[in-house]
Amino acid sequence: MNVLEVRAVSKQYGSKKVLKDLSFSIPRGAIFGFVGENGAGKTTTMKLILGLDEMTSGEIYINGEKVRFGETATNRMTGYLPDVPEFYDYMTSTDYLMLCAEITQIPKNKRQARVAEMLSLVGLEQSKSKIKGFSRGMKQRLGIAQALLNEPEFLICDEPTSALDPSGRNEFLDLLASLKNRVTILFSTHILSDVERICDQVGILHKGSLQVVGEIDVLKERYAQPQIEIVFENTGEAEQFVEQTTQIIKEQHESQVFVSYSETYPLAFAELIAQLSQFNLTAKSIRHIAPSLEQIYLEVTK
């Protein structure tokens, strides 16, 4: 069963079309990467899912229940983590989550245990300091704890890793990955490597239109070609190889040459070695490059 269904959704501000006939779904337990450049329409889509803005046309359903603009009942099933979550800095993480538990009407006899469970989940159970002393990564983890406090079935994360340092980003991605099958996640980002690392499916949004959507492995087979990177001693040798080879050259950057192939890697590699020998050329290095989400993105947005 799909937790989220977005059906032919369009959004227009005056004469400006921000979203154009958007349709996709997210199955229960999946982590869905929602990818696009800044201004592509990702944030507008999330606002519509949360009932914070009104659609020009189309319908959105969460667990089969229609999302309505305003105080939509579907938000009781939805957790939300903005890119920059805000807190009461004078509180501790426990104080803040206890306040949130009261606001979301978690029964009094369950609040303390639920708060302790969430702090343990995000690795903040030992923290007794005020939130104002938290690092950006700690605040993002507290944001996840708050978003999951009332046990939502669907979690929206809006650019959660964009401002984290490498260490904080790794920790946060590991945390999101650990939630797989516990909660269905829409992970909005422009960082393709993050999506490739933790997501099952991806939708690529470009200029308000969904260019492609599906399982990442399936999309790689359809859109991306495996490549071999060859690094020569100098640009002249690279140019000589490009002029004489019968293999498909994807691109050349000075002494680097990228060769695409459609057969198996052993066959492509053997042909490459044979041609280097034929041209009396020696490569400094040869490296296999597997199909990537970046290749898919560049292919469908060009």
Side-chain angles (χ1 to χ4, degrees):
M1 177 182 174
N2 294 324
V3 168
L4 176 70
E5 294 271 358
V6 176
R7 303 177 184 174
V9 167
S10 294
K11 177 62 182 177
Q12 191 166 334
Y13 295 103
S15 61
K16 183 180 180 181
K17 293 183 178 179
V18 180
L19 296 175
K20 307 163 190 173
D21 198 30
L22 208 64
S23 294
F24 67 95
S25 60
I26 305 179
R28 185 173 302 281
I31 303 178
F32 182 91
F34 195 41
V35 173
E37 73 276 15
N38 292 333
K42 303 191 300 299
T43 297
T44 298
T45 303
M46 287 180 284
K47 285 182 178 179
L48 296 178
I49 294 171
L50 291 165
L52 300 176
D53 204 349
E54 192 169 12
M55 289 168 272
T56 303
S57 60
E59 297 175 323
I60 298 174
Y61 293 86
I62 295 176
N63 273 341
E65 190 169 339
K66 190 173 182 179
V67 173
R68 302 185 185 281
F69 172 56
E71 296 183 17
T72 179
T74 54
N75 279 356
R76 71 179 185 272
M77 299 179 266
T78 306
Y80 175 60
L81 176 66
D83 56 344
V84 184
E86 296 290 340
F87 306 99
Y88 296 114
D89 283 352
Y90 60 86
M91 289 183 169
T92 67
S93 53
T94 298
D95 293 338
Y96 178 73
L97 291 186
M98 287 296 288
L99 173 64
C100 293
E102 182 179 350
I103 292 171
T104 54
Q105 299 181 336
I106 294 174
K108 284 185 179 181
N109 62 341
K110 295 182 179 180
R111 289 175 191 171
Q112 193 168 358
R114 183 64 183 161
V115 166
E117 179 189 355
M118 287 299 96
L119 289 175
S120 176
L121 175 69
V122 301
L124 292 176
E125 68 274 21
Q126 302 299 324
S127 177
K128 306 299 180 185
S129 60
K130 305 292 187 184
I131 297 172
K132 65 181 178 182
F134 280 16
S135 67
R136 180 67 187 270
M138 291 172 71
K139 287 183 177 180
Q140 290 293 70
R141 284 187 276 147
L142 180 58
I144 281 283
Q146 181 272 320
L148 295 176
L149 191 63
N150 64 336
E151 300 182 277
E153 297 182 59
F154 182 47
L155 174 64
I156 297 174
C157 296
D158 184 5
E159 299 279 1
T161 60
S162 60
L164 297 179
D165 60 32
S167 176
R169 208 166 114 220
N170 282 331
E171 289 178 1
F172 188 84
L173 290 173
D174 286 343
L175 173 59
L176 274 192
S178 74
L179 298 175
K180 182 176 169 61
N181 295 321
R182 176 172 179 160
V183 61
T184 304
I185 300 172
L186 186 151
F187 175 39
S188 171
T189 185
H190 63 275
I191 305 175
L192 300 177
S193 59
D194 288 355
V195 172
E196 203 157 15
R197 176 170 163 179
I198 67 170
C199 294
D200 314 286
Q201 300 187 359
V202 65
I204 297 176
L205 192 65
H206 181 60
K207 294 181 179 179
S209 296
L210 198 62
Q211 302 298 310
V212 70
V213 63
E215 295 181 9
I216 293 177
D217 289 342
V218 174
L219 294 178
K220 283 181 179 180
E221 290 181 7
R222 180 178 176 185
Y223 289 99
Q225 272 193 310
Q227 297 180 350
I228 301 172
E229 178 201 49
I230 315 162
V231 180
F232 291 93
E233 188 67 38
N234 53 60
T235 302
E237 290 186 354
E239 291 174 347
Q240 180 185 345
F241 177 79
V242 169
E243 290 172 1
Q244 295 179 301
T245 185
T246 59
Q247 292 186 307
I248 302 171
I249 303 298
K250 187 71 174 178
E251 54 189 306
Q252 178 195 347
H253 298 292
E254 297 182 344
S255 61
Q256 285 178 296
V257 177
F258 295 88
V259 174
S260 298
Y261 65 91
S262 55
E263 66 270 29
T264 65
Y265 175 67
L267 285 175
F269 182 78
E271 181 182 350
L272 175 61
I273 295 301
Q275 293 202 19
L276 287 171
S277 177
Q278 177 185 344
F279 307 145
N280 197 28
L281 293 171
T282 301
K284 289 178 63 178
S285 67
I286 299 175
R287 179 172 66 99
H288 178 248
I289 303 176
S292 68
L293 183 58
E294 182 178 3
Q295 286 181 304
I296 300 170
Y297 181 87
L298 293 173
E299 180 66 26
V300 302
T301 60
K302 65 184 180 181

